Amino acid sequence: MPFKKWRCVICDWVYDEELGAPNDGIPPGTRWADVPADWSCPDCGASKADFEMVETD
Amino acid sequence: MHTASLAPAWRDNKRYLWPLGGIIMLLVPIAGVLYQATGWGGWWWLGPMVVYGLIPLADLLVGSDTNNPPEARVPSLEKERYYRWAVYLAVACEYVSVIWGAWMAANGGLPWYHIVGLAMTIAMVTGVSINTGHELGHKTDKLEQWLAKIALAPTAYGHFFVEHNRGHHVRVATPEDPASSRFGESFWAFLPRTMVGSLKSAWEIEARRLRRNGKPVWSLQNNNLNAWAMTVVLFGGLAAWLGGQVLPFLLLQAFVGASLLEVVNYLEHYGLMRERRADGSYERCQPRHSWNSNQIVTNVFLYQLQRHSDHHANPTRSYQSLRHFDEAPQLPTGYAGMILLAYLPPLWFKIMNPRVVAHYEGDMSRANIKPEIRDAVIARYAPQRRGGAVA
């Protein structure tokens, strides 16, 4: 299954499953579904629910 | 015996005060009624009297409140429509003030010095309304985003909707943020920097989004352009109805109203800075990166904007759910009183600079400092570092 990207609808920061979010203790390759529900956008603090999947690119 | 009754239910002790944020938006017709009743022209300055006099004084008299909603109560609290209606009411009342005030300026037969007072009173209403637009603009609900732009239109600050969420919240408490003030930077130096910088930032952020989505930058899909278009419609409509002489009046109140928002921006993050990680990115925004206050009166009129640390940590959280944090740096009084200090830079520096130095325990290399004086400031406070100066 190819890696997907999810973009914060508040500030446009992109979570790339391939890269993860190592600063928040989320290792590279972590699927979006496995990102903890209480994790929030590292740039603006928006909640995980405020992300939507990036269709292209 | 109900187990639920064993623990006292949390009550929002400001619950019935929130509509006051809407009522105060009627300051312009209230000033008119007082003028009518007494004949005293000073009432046209009611807006500045309330914002710069009554509210700071009331903050000192009424005091503060550190009451937080329990986390378990937050989801249901967020869903209560009552709190949203209190904010919608404020937008409606803002427009009553702007439209009635513009009509009064054109047709009231007032001398120029009363018209200036009237413009200042409208400016206080439209300036505080940027905060209303702020509360609405953080929501992902389309209606609220639309109302946010309506609330911003009288100050021509529609770009705040874009810049605040996608610019300020990302770069807050860093030297890159035009809306975070620096240690040693006076409000009067900050004002042009933030106004110009925020406008440029808003334009770039939105242009990037549109290009990414393959849409034209010059279209009404541009959130800056469609928000500014509301200002054009509002001001143009009022000019067509009341005559072109209302335009300078509207522009004056817009500028003063916007500068009221900017003075609040000035005091929210003064001197505070997020640390840079080894990879060049900044640490997450923490409670220690915003100045807070629990003064009740200002918190009611600004929808708990003063619980600023929680707002930056949880930007989509509604005002009624925002919490006080013990570890967040506290201002000596409410935002309303701090505004007065910000207008007087020597007094501001005298009161706030020692607080920033104490916050960083003398290690000013961790503060956000005006670049020209950065090295001198670090050297000057080095002896105050905990454990003495580092050789």
Side-chain angles (χ1 to χ4, degrees), chain B residues 82-145:
Chain B
Y82 168 78
Y83 292 100
R84 302 321 292 165
W85 281 103
V87 180
Y88 304 161
L89 171 75
V91 182
C93 292
E94 176 195 13
Y95 271 73
V96 170
S97 267
V98 170
I99 295 170
W100 186 82
W103 178 84
M104 195 67 202
N107 297 321
L110 297 173
W112 69 269
Y113 44 90
H114 289 170
I115 291 182
V116 173
L118 175 59
M120 293 304 125
T121 294
I122 298 179
M124 296 300 118
V125 166
T126 58
V128 173
S129 290
I130 300 179
N131 180 61
T132 314
H134 168 256
E135 172 66 31
L136 292 161
H138 270 295
K139 297 289 168 289
T140 45
D141 179 287
K142 288 284 167 235
L143 168 76
E144 300 223 349
Q145 293 189 348

Side-chain angles (χ1 to χ4, degrees), chain B residues 163-177:
Chain B
E163 210 292 316
H164 181 81
N165 292 331
R166 288 148 66 196
H168 175 64
H169 268 265
V170 173
R171 296 176 303 209
V172 61
T174 72
E176 286 84 48
D177 182 25

Side-chain angles (χ1 to χ4, degrees), chain B residues 30-53:
Chain B
I30 291 170
V33 167
L34 290 171
Y35 173 71
Q36 199 70 39
T38 62
W40 183 53
W43 285 120
W44 293 116
W45 294 82
L46 182 64
M49 284 193 254
V50 169
V51 171
Y52 299 135

